[in-house]
């Protein structure tokens, strides 16, 4: 793994000057992921905060080749580009020893929900590409609507806390496990708060011959209702409480990347966020207990899969 001194010498492939919100976790995730690629890379991005805020015509923040995709087809587009690259190599129009990497970025709305079919197809067909989901837990670009990644109890504009309900009643999808079920060579869950871990996992993903998937926790201060300067702190609490465990699955083998001696209570992660403030009102104690119980159960299940105590 590269040291921070070595990483400081690598070019930042997403420049400043874009119009993402202050404290946005998406741009942090992209910059850390692209520090893990060596050599030429082609990036694609589904419609979302990242795409619309970094490619305002005629400008672009990307220092790579970049393809804009519709909401649902980032993985399909990049798999097609990768297939074309393989054909051109076979025809001798690209040198056989030239290696180009391909990466598709999508938010949780474009990945867990709208783009799941194209992502599943690309992974199942075995394209040599990396897919990165920057998970901020809702459709933030269009007004903070709930997505398949929105946590239980979170108040969004389509699952508002009030008299009719106490936020989203369903549990979030476990997309990392869904990707693992595709039996691809590399699957990992990471967070912008643990940059060494994320860059290391990105390096492994780009080194794979075949499909790789990274699910990255990327807080949205606006949607999570936290101050702009709390992005890294709240993401770290997500990891330390077990809400977002860091792990990887290499050829089917599980490995937990960060295992604290004891998890912090999940309320440490929930309480600073405005989207969960209703859970702390009198009468909602059971919802907090249910949330904690689910996190604990998932953590114990992961430890068993990884073969650790």
């Amino acid at each position: 793994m590269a040291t921070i001194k070595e990483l400081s010498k690598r070019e930042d492939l997403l420049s400043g000057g874009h119009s993402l919100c202050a404290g946005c976790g998406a741009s942090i995730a992209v910059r850390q992921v692209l520090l893990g690629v060596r050599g030429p890379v082609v990036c694609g991005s589904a419609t979302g905060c990242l795409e619309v805020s970094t490619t305002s015509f005629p400008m672009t923040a990307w220092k790579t080749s970049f393809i804009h995709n519709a909401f649902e087809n980032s993985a399909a587009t990049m798999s097609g580009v990768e297939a074309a690259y393989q054909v051109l190599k076979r025809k001798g129009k690209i040198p056989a020893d030239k290696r180009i990497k391909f990466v598709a970025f999508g938010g949780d709305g474009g990945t867990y929900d709208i783009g799941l079919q194209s992502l599943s197809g690309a992974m199942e067909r075995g394209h040599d590409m990396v897919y990165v989901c920057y998970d901020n837990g809702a459709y933030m670009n269009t007004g903070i609507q709930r997505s398949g990644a929105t946590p239980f109890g979170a108040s969004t504009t389509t699952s508002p806390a009030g008299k009719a309900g106490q936020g989203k009643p369903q549990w979030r999808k476990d997309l990392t496990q869904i990707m693992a079920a595709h039996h691809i060579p590399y699957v990992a869950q990471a967070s912008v708060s643990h940059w060494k871990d994320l860059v290391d996992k990105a390096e492994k993903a780009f080194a794979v011959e075949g499909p790789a998937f990274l699910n990255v926790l990327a807080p949205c201060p606006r949607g999570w209702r936290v101050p702009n300067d709390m992005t890294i702190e709240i993401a770290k609490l997500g990891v330390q409480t077990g809400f977002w465990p860091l792990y990887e699955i290499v050829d089917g083998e599980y490995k937990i990347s960060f295992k604290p001696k004891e998890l912090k209570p999940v309320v440490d992660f929930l309480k600073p966020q405005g989207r969960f403030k209703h859970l702390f009102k009198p009468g909602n104690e059971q919802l907090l207990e249910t949330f904690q119980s689910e996190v604990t159960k998932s953590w114990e299940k992961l430890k068993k899969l990884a073969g650790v105590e």
Side-chain angles (χ1 to χ4, degrees), residues 8 57 61 72 74 96 114 129 132 148 206 213 230-231 234 248 253 269 272 306:
S8 70
F57 183 80
E72 72 281 9
S74 184
I114 296 174
M129 60 176 283
V132 180
F206 283 116
F213 175 81
M230 198 177 178
T231 300
I234 197 70
E248 60 186 359
E253 297 293 325
F269 170 66

Side-chain angles (χ1 to χ4, degrees), residues 21-26 49 108 135-147 149-151 153-161 218-228 231 234 269-270 272-278:
C21 300
C24 174
C49 292
D108 52 277
D135 187 337
N136 53 33
Y139 289 84
M140 300 303 184
N141 185 51
T142 51
I144 317 175
Q145 297 92 354
R146 57 86 81 192
S147 77
T150 301
S155 179
T156 71
T157 52
T158 50
S159 61
C220 169
R222 186 167 178 271
W224 292 24
R225 308 302 185 195
V226 296
N228 293 338
T231 300
I234 197 70
F269 170 66
L270 303 179
Q273 301 181 53
R275 61 177 177 164
F276 294 117
K277 67 178 182 181
H278 55 284

Side-chain angles (χ1 to χ4, degrees), residues 20-69:
L20 286 163
C21 300
C24 174
S27 61
I28 302 171
V30 171
R31 293 173 65 196
Q32 292 182 1
V33 166
L34 292 181
L35 282 174
V37 68
R38 311 298 295 156
V41 60
V42 179
C43 299
S45 179
T47 300
C49 292
L50 178 65
E51 187 274 330
V52 301
S53 300
T54 58
T55 59
S56 301
F57 183 80
M59 298 172 287
T60 178
W62 298 82
K63 297 180 183 178
T64 68
S65 297
F66 180 84
I67 303 174
H68 163 236
N69 310 108

Side-chain angles (χ1 to χ4, degrees), residues 275-290:
R275 61 177 177 164
F276 294 117
K277 67 178 182 181
H278 55 284
L279 298 183
F280 293 87
K281 292 181 178 178
N284 282 339
E285 294 82 1
Q286 181 60 39
L287 296 177
L288 289 173
E289 292 174 9
T290 301

Side-chain angles (χ1 to χ4, degrees), residues 172 189 217 235-247 258 260 262-269 291-292 294-300 302:
R172 61 190 298 279
Q189 191 160 284
L217 185 63
K236 188 177 292 183
L237 284 168
V239 174
Q240 293 172 335
T241 58
F243 169 79
W244 192 265
L246 305 183
Y247 67 101
F258 174 76
E262 188 173 354
L263 294 180
K264 291 184 176 181
V266 76
V267 293
D268 289 3
F269 170 66
F291 203 125
Q292 180 64 70
E294 187 66 19
V295 168
T296 302
K297 186 169 67 176
S298 297
W299 175 246
E300 293 301 321
L302 177 62

Side-chain angles (χ1 to χ4, degrees), residues 175-257:
L175 183 64
T176 307
Q177 289 299 310
I178 293 173
M179 288 299 104
H182 285 68
H183 307 295
I184 59 179
Y186 190 77
V187 176
Q189 191 160 284
S191 168
V192 296
S193 59
H194 291 65
W195 64 267
K196 284 184 179 179
D197 179 74
L198 176 51
V199 174
D200 184 38
K201 286 172 176 168
E203 287 182 336
K204 292 179 181 178
F206 283 116
V208 162
E209 296 283 351
F213 175 81
L214 297 174
N215 201 3
V216 183
L217 185 63
C220 169
R222 186 167 178 271
W224 292 24
R225 308 302 185 195
V226 296
N228 293 338
D229 59 0
M230 198 177 178
T231 300
I232 298 301
E233 181 182 351
I234 197 70
K236 188 177 292 183
L237 284 168
V239 174
Q240 293 172 335
T241 58
F243 169 79
W244 192 265
L246 305 183
Y247 67 101
E248 60 186 359
I249 309 165
V250 184
D251 294 325
E253 297 293 325
Y254 282 73
K255 179 185 176 183
I256 297 177
S257 315

